[in-house]
Amino acid sequence: MVDVQHWLSALPPGVIYLIVAGVIGVESMGVPLPGEIILVSSALLAAAGVVDPLWVASAAAAGAIVGDSIGYAIGRRGGRPLLARLGQRFPRHLGPAQIARAEQSFARHGVWAVFFGRFVALLRILAGPLAGALHVPYRRFLVANAAGGLVWAFGTTYLLFTVGRAAEHWLKDISWAGLAVAVLAGLGSTWWLRRRAHRLASAETVAEAAPVRAGSDH
């Protein structure tokens, strides 16, 4: 992920937004691509001030919603033979076992599998094509798809953006003296916990050995 972030940082912001939308969109059509890695890397770049988090989240949401809808249309047209061909082409990600697991999730949760599937790697790839192949009503699919895409894209982006900005602020303001105190405190607490664990282990050993000695006296 560090390499992806470094590669993205060398590109203009507009190109980064297009890559975010494109990769996530193609992934949502049923092609295994690192959509979440692209989103996380871009969100961290937003925390560093390289790109705008609103545009990152909007690009990710657009890619997710449009890509899932195209995947739905492809699945509706191709049906199960399409899923079988995808399994042959990507056996590691879309093999029979993965398809069966996704179908079980749809059978158990219905259209909610589309919403929550956005947060699960396997279902994020299969939700659109599988919903189309299973003839899920498109209106219901679109509502769950849009809701899941928006929550996933904006939630992930702004969570990482907030955490990244807070970490950057903390590291910038902390003094070397404070850092030294924190390190010493961490070493001291680790030493105390190890010593405590060693004492407890020794006490348990003595307690277990005591009945044995008592029995041998008889």
Side-chain angles (χ1 to χ4, degrees), residues 121-155:
L122 174 63
L123 284 178
R124 186 164 54 248
I125 300 171
L126 285 175
L130 193 58
L134 296 177
H135 294 278
V136 174
Y138 180 70
R139 287 185 180 179
R140 295 177 59 199
F141 168 81
L142 181 60
V143 171
N145 171 36
L150 288 169
V151 172
W152 174 74
F154 279 85

Short mmCIF file of all heavy atoms in Angstrom, two decimals, residues 121-155:
data_model
loop_
_atom_site.label_atom_id
_atom_site.label_comp_id
_atom_site.label_asym_id
_atom_site.label_seq_id
_atom_site.Cartn_x
_atom_site.Cartn_y
_atom_site.Cartn_z
N ALA A 121 -14.65 -7.73 1.09
CA ALA A 121 -13.87 -7.80 -0.15
C ALA A 121 -14.55 -8.67 -1.21
O ALA A 121 -14.68 -8.26 -2.37
CB ALA A 121 -12.47 -8.33 0.15
N LEU A 122 -15.00 -9.86 -0.85
CA LEU A 122 -15.57 -10.78 -1.83
C LEU A 122 -16.88 -10.24 -2.39
O LEU A 122 -17.07 -10.17 -3.61
CB LEU A 122 -15.80 -12.15 -1.19
CG LEU A 122 -16.53 -13.18 -2.05
CD1 LEU A 122 -15.71 -13.50 -3.29
CD2 LEU A 122 -16.82 -14.44 -1.25
N LEU A 123 -17.79 -9.82 -1.51
CA LEU A 123 -19.09 -9.34 -1.97
C LEU A 123 -18.98 -8.00 -2.69
O LEU A 123 -19.81 -7.68 -3.54
CB LEU A 123 -20.05 -9.21 -0.79
CG LEU A 123 -20.63 -10.53 -0.26
CD1 LEU A 123 -21.53 -10.27 0.95
CD2 LEU A 123 -21.41 -11.26 -1.34
N ARG A 124 -17.95 -7.22 -2.36
CA ARG A 124 -17.76 -5.95 -3.07
C ARG A 124 -17.52 -6.20 -4.56
O ARG A 124 -17.93 -5.41 -5.40
CB ARG A 124 -16.58 -5.19 -2.46
CG ARG A 124 -16.40 -3.81 -3.04
CD ARG A 124 -15.50 -2.94 -2.20
NE ARG A 124 -14.21 -3.54 -1.93
CZ ARG A 124 -13.81 -3.95 -0.73
NH1 ARG A 124 -14.61 -3.85 0.31
NH2 ARG A 124 -12.62 -4.47 -0.55
N ILE A 125 -16.86 -7.30 -4.89
CA ILE A 125 -16.60 -7.64 -6.29
C ILE A 125 -17.81 -8.30 -6.94
O ILE A 125 -18.14 -8.03 -8.09
CB ILE A 125 -15.39 -8.60 -6.38
CG1 ILE A 125 -14.14 -7.93 -5.79
CG2 ILE A 125 -15.12 -9.02 -7.82
CD1 ILE A 125 -12.97 -8.86 -5.65
N LEU A 126 -18.54 -9.12 -6.18
CA LEU A 126 -19.57 -9.96 -6.75
C LEU A 126 -20.98 -9.40 -6.64
O LEU A 126 -21.89 -9.90 -7.30
CB LEU A 126 -19.56 -11.34 -6.07
CG LEU A 126 -18.43 -12.29 -6.47
CD1 LEU A 126 -18.49 -13.55 -5.63
CD2 LEU A 126 -18.51 -12.63 -7.94
N ALA A 127 -21.19 -8.38 -5.80
CA ALA A 127 -22.55 -7.93 -5.49
C ALA A 127 -23.34 -7.58 -6.75
O ALA A 127 -24.48 -8.03 -6.93
CB ALA A 127 -22.51 -6.74 -4.54
N GLY A 128 -22.76 -6.76 -7.64
CA GLY A 128 -23.48 -6.36 -8.84
C GLY A 128 -23.80 -7.50 -9.78
O GLY A 128 -24.98 -7.77 -10.07
N PRO A 129 -22.77 -8.21 -10.28
CA PRO A 129 -23.06 -9.33 -11.19
C PRO A 129 -23.95 -10.41 -10.58
O PRO A 129 -24.83 -10.95 -11.27
CB PRO A 129 -21.66 -9.89 -11.50
CG PRO A 129 -20.73 -8.75 -11.27
CD PRO A 129 -21.32 -7.98 -10.13
N LEU A 130 -23.75 -10.70 -9.30
CA LEU A 130 -24.54 -11.76 -8.67
C LEU A 130 -25.99 -11.33 -8.51
O LEU A 130 -26.90 -12.12 -8.74
CB LEU A 130 -23.93 -12.11 -7.31
CG LEU A 130 -24.43 -13.39 -6.65
CD1 LEU A 130 -24.19 -14.59 -7.56
CD2 LEU A 130 -23.73 -13.62 -5.32
N ALA A 131 -26.22 -10.08 -8.12
CA ALA A 131 -27.59 -9.58 -7.99
C ALA A 131 -28.30 -9.62 -9.33
O ALA A 131 -29.49 -9.95 -9.42
CB ALA A 131 -27.59 -8.17 -7.42
N GLY A 132 -27.58 -9.27 -10.40
CA GLY A 132 -28.18 -9.33 -11.72
C GLY A 132 -28.48 -10.75 -12.16
O GLY A 132 -29.55 -11.04 -12.70
N ALA A 133 -27.54 -11.66 -11.90
CA ALA A 133 -27.73 -13.06 -12.28
C ALA A 133 -28.88 -13.70 -11.51
O ALA A 133 -29.58 -14.57 -12.04
CB ALA A 133 -26.45 -13.85 -12.05
N LEU A 134 -29.10 -13.25 -10.27
CA LEU A 134 -30.19 -13.80 -9.45
C LEU A 134 -31.49 -13.03 -9.64
O LEU A 134 -32.48 -13.29 -8.94
CB LEU A 134 -29.78 -13.76 -7.97
CG LEU A 134 -28.57 -14.63 -7.59
CD1 LEU A 134 -28.22 -14.46 -6.12
CD2 LEU A 134 -28.85 -16.10 -7.90
N HIS A 135 -31.50 -12.06 -10.57
CA HIS A 135 -32.70 -11.29 -10.91
C HIS A 135 -33.29 -10.54 -9.70
O HIS A 135 -34.51 -10.51 -9.51
CB HIS A 135 -33.76 -12.19 -11.54
CG HIS A 135 -33.34 -12.75 -12.86
ND1 HIS A 135 -33.46 -12.06 -14.05
CD2 HIS A 135 -32.77 -13.95 -13.19
CE1 HIS A 135 -33.00 -12.79 -15.05
NE2 HIS A 135 -32.57 -13.95 -14.55
N VAL A 136 -32.41 -9.95 -8.90
CA VAL A 136 -32.88 -9.07 -7.83
C VAL A 136 -33.50 -7.84 -8.49
O VAL A 136 -32.92 -7.28 -9.43
CB VAL A 136 -31.70 -8.66 -6.92
CG1 VAL A 136 -32.15 -7.63 -5.89
CG2 VAL A 136 -31.11 -9.88 -6.25
N PRO A 137 -34.69 -7.37 -8.04
CA PRO A 137 -35.30 -6.17 -8.64
C PRO A 137 -34.33 -4.99 -8.62
O PRO A 137 -33.74 -4.68 -7.58
CB PRO A 137 -36.53 -5.91 -7.76
CG PRO A 137 -36.87 -7.26 -7.21
CD PRO A 137 -35.56 -7.96 -7.01
N TYR A 138 -34.18 -4.31 -9.78
CA TYR A 138 -33.14 -3.29 -9.89
C TYR A 138 -33.37 -2.12 -8.96
O TYR A 138 -32.42 -1.54 -8.43
CB TYR A 138 -33.04 -2.79 -11.34
CG TYR A 138 -31.97 -1.73 -11.49
CD1 TYR A 138 -30.62 -2.07 -11.38
CD2 TYR A 138 -32.30 -0.39 -11.69
CE1 TYR A 138 -29.63 -1.10 -11.48
CE2 TYR A 138 -31.32 0.58 -11.81
CZ TYR A 138 -29.98 0.22 -11.70
OH TYR A 138 -29.01 1.18 -11.79
N ARG A 139 -34.61 -1.72 -8.74
CA ARG A 139 -34.86 -0.57 -7.87
C ARG A 139 -34.37 -0.85 -6.45
O ARG A 139 -33.74 0.01 -5.82
CB ARG A 139 -36.35 -0.23 -7.85
CG ARG A 139 -36.84 0.41 -9.15
CD ARG A 139 -38.30 0.83 -9.02
NE ARG A 139 -38.78 1.44 -10.26
CZ ARG A 139 -40.01 1.89 -10.44
NH1 ARG A 139 -40.90 1.80 -9.44
NH2 ARG A 139 -40.36 2.43 -11.59
N ARG A 140 -34.67 -2.02 -5.96
CA ARG A 140 -34.20 -2.39 -4.62
C ARG A 140 -32.68 -2.48 -4.60
O ARG A 140 -32.02 -2.06 -3.65
CB ARG A 140 -34.82 -3.72 -4.19
CG ARG A 140 -36.34 -3.67 -4.02
CD ARG A 140 -36.88 -5.04 -3.67
NE ARG A 140 -36.29 -5.55 -2.45
CZ ARG A 140 -36.30 -6.83 -2.09
NH1 ARG A 140 -36.84 -7.74 -2.89
NH2 ARG A 140 -35.76 -7.21 -0.96
N PHE A 141 -32.12 -3.05 -5.67
CA PHE A 141 -30.67 -3.15 -5.76
C PHE A 141 -30.03 -1.77 -5.77
O PHE A 141 -29.03 -1.52 -5.09
CB PHE A 141 -30.29 -3.91 -7.03
CG PHE A 141 -28.83 -3.82 -7.37
CD1 PHE A 141 -27.89 -4.63 -6.74
CD2 PHE A 141 -28.37 -2.90 -8.32
CE1 PHE A 141 -26.54 -4.54 -7.04
CE2 PHE A 141 -27.03 -2.81 -8.63
CZ PHE A 141 -26.11 -3.63 -7.99
N LEU A 142 -30.60 -0.83 -6.54
CA LEU A 142 -30.02 0.50 -6.68
C LEU A 142 -30.03 1.25 -5.34
O LEU A 142 -29.05 1.93 -5.01
CB LEU A 142 -30.79 1.30 -7.73
CG LEU A 142 -30.26 2.72 -7.99
CD1 LEU A 142 -28.82 2.67 -8.48
CD2 LEU A 142 -31.16 3.44 -9.00
N VAL A 143 -31.11 1.13 -4.58
CA VAL A 143 -31.18 1.80 -3.27
C VAL A 143 -30.10 1.28 -2.34
O VAL A 143 -29.35 2.04 -1.72
CB VAL A 143 -32.58 1.62 -2.64
CG1 VAL A 143 -32.58 2.13 -1.20
CG2 VAL A 143 -33.63 2.37 -3.45
N ALA A 144 -29.99 -0.05 -2.24
CA ALA A 144 -28.97 -0.65 -1.37
C ALA A 144 -27.57 -0.36 -1.89
O ALA A 144 -26.65 -0.10 -1.10
CB ALA A 144 -29.20 -2.17 -1.26
N ASN A 145 -27.41 -0.39 -3.20
CA ASN A 145 -26.11 -0.13 -3.82
C ASN A 145 -25.66 1.31 -3.56
O ASN A 145 -24.51 1.55 -3.16
CB ASN A 145 -26.22 -0.39 -5.32
CG ASN A 145 -25.00 0.06 -6.08
OD1 ASN A 145 -23.88 -0.03 -5.60
ND2 ASN A 145 -25.21 0.56 -7.29
N ALA A 146 -26.56 2.27 -3.77
CA ALA A 146 -26.20 3.67 -3.56
C ALA A 146 -25.92 3.95 -2.10
O ALA A 146 -24.93 4.64 -1.77
CB ALA A 146 -27.34 4.57 -4.06
N ALA A 147 -26.74 3.42 -1.20
CA ALA A 147 -26.53 3.64 0.23
C ALA A 147 -25.20 3.05 0.68
O ALA A 147 -24.41 3.69 1.39
CB ALA A 147 -27.68 3.03 1.03
N GLY A 148 -24.93 1.82 0.27
CA GLY A 148 -23.67 1.18 0.64
C GLY A 148 -22.47 1.89 0.07
O GLY A 148 -21.46 2.08 0.75
N GLY A 149 -22.56 2.30 -1.21
CA GLY A 149 -21.44 3.01 -1.84
C GLY A 149 -21.14 4.33 -1.17
O GLY A 149 -19.96 4.67 -0.94
N LEU A 150 -22.17 5.10 -0.82
CA LEU A 150 -21.96 6.39 -0.18
C LEU A 150 -21.38 6.25 1.22
O LEU A 150 -20.43 6.95 1.60
CB LEU A 150 -23.29 7.16 -0.12
CG LEU A 150 -23.81 7.70 -1.47
CD1 LEU A 150 -25.24 8.20 -1.32
CD2 LEU A 150 -22.91 8.82 -1.97
N VAL A 151 -21.95 5.33 2.01
CA VAL A 151 -21.46 5.14 3.38
C VAL A 151 -20.03 4.63 3.37
O VAL A 151 -19.17 5.10 4.13
CB VAL A 151 -22.38 4.16 4.15
CG1 VAL A 151 -21.78 3.81 5.51
CG2 VAL A 151 -23.77 4.78 4.34
N TRP A 152 -19.74 3.66 2.50
CA TRP A 152 -18.39 3.09 2.42
C TRP A 152 -17.38 4.14 1.96
O TRP A 152 -16.32 4.30 2.57
CB TRP A 152 -18.40 1.91 1.46
CG TRP A 152 -17.05 1.32 1.19
CD1 TRP A 152 -16.29 0.55 2.03
CD2 TRP A 152 -16.29 1.44 -0.04
NE1 TRP A 152 -15.11 0.20 1.41
CE2 TRP A 152 -15.09 0.72 0.16
CE3 TRP A 152 -16.53 2.06 -1.26
CZ2 TRP A 152 -14.12 0.63 -0.85
CZ3 TRP A 152 -15.57 1.98 -2.25
CH2 TRP A 152 -14.38 1.26 -2.04
N ALA A 153 -17.70 4.85 0.90
CA ALA A 153 -16.74 5.81 0.32
C ALA A 153 -16.49 6.98 1.26
O ALA A 153 -15.33 7.30 1.58
CB ALA A 153 -17.26 6.31 -1.02
N PHE A 154 -17.56 7.64 1.72
CA PHE A 154 -17.38 8.81 2.58
C PHE A 154 -16.91 8.42 3.97
O PHE A 154 -16.07 9.12 4.57
CB PHE A 154 -18.68 9.61 2.65
CG PHE A 154 -18.89 10.50 1.47
CD1 PHE A 154 -19.47 10.01 0.31
CD2 PHE A 154 -18.50 11.83 1.51
CE1 PHE A 154 -19.65 10.82 -0.81
CE2 PHE A 154 -18.69 12.66 0.40
CZ PHE A 154 -19.26 12.15 -0.76
N GLY A 155 -17.42 7.30 4.50
CA GLY A 155 -17.00 6.85 5.83
C GLY A 155 -15.52 6.50 5.86
O GLY A 155 -14.78 6.94 6.75
#
